Amino acid sequence: MKTLKVFLTALVLFTTFAAAKADNTTVLPLNDYAIYTYVDAMCHGNLKGIEDVLDNNVQFSMVHGNQVITSDKSSIMAFLKENKNIQQQCTVTTSVVESSDDITVVKVNMKYADFTRTNYVTLANTTAGWKITNVHSVFKS
């Protein structure tokens, strides 16, 4: 009888931890999900999930002439909401620049007719899953 109690206790603990792990796995996005969500928002105006994959302290920056213009999460979200469902006329390619268990840098090229916008997107593996922490944009004709 003692063996049965130990077995049932172990089974309950295992099931509880497995269920908790399963919940985390379905809630926490992988870095691929974060990048695809970012591209979908920037290029197709689909905002589903974008707020979740952006870290609260995310910084966006772009070079404009001799200036570097920076934005935070709230200003980027306002911009995206103003441009919701607007399809960009560009071809998108992505490539991983660097990747580890903790951080990933992805190059996102958005090629338009007259110029290319290159976004260097940094993702961090946080306790809340993969989050975009920095986006730096460069424009080339």
Side-chain angles (χ1 to χ4, degrees):
M1 189 64 154
K2 185 176 180 180
T3 305
L4 182 59
K5 285 182 182 178
V6 170
F7 175 75
L8 289 176
T9 303
L11 182 63
V12 167
L13 287 173
F14 176 75
T15 305
T16 303
F17 289 128
K21 179 69 174 161
D23 286 345
N24 286 341
T25 303
T26 57
V27 171
L28 302 178
L30 300 173
N31 59 359
D32 287 348
Y33 172 76
I35 283 295
Y36 292 133
T37 302
Y38 170 79
V39 169
D40 205 21
M42 297 301 287
C43 300
H44 308 293
N46 181 3
L47 305 186
K48 182 180 178 188
I50 188 65
E51 231 171 325
D52 297 331
V53 299
L54 295 177
D55 187 71
N56 288 333
N57 297 314
V58 64
Q59 290 292 308
F60 290 81
S61 61
M62 70 175 65
V63 177
H64 182 69
N66 292 332
Q67 293 182 313
V68 176
I69 301 169
T70 60
S71 302
D72 61 6
K73 182 176 182 176
S74 63
S75 59
I76 289 299
M77 286 306 302
F79 170 79
L80 289 172
K81 287 175 183 174
E82 288 174 10
N83 295 286
K84 185 177 180 177
N85 297 321
I86 294 179
Q87 181 76 29
Q88 298 290 315
Q89 299 300 313
C90 64
T91 304
V92 179
T93 58
T94 61
S95 59
V96 175
V97 175
E98 184 71 33
S99 185
S100 72
D101 291 340
D102 300 317
I103 196 162
T104 298
V105 178
V106 177
K107 182 179 179 180
V108 179
N109 277 328
M110 300 168 63
K111 179 136 180 64
Y112 295 86
D114 297 331
F115 67 95
T116 301
R117 176 181 180 174
T118 301
N119 298 312
Y120 294 93
V121 182
T122 304
L123 301 104
N125 191 4
T126 70
T127 55
W130 284 95
K131 299 287 185 175
I132 296 172
T133 58
N134 188 288
V135 178
H136 183 76
S137 299
V138 179
F139 297 84
K140 293 185 182 174
S141 352

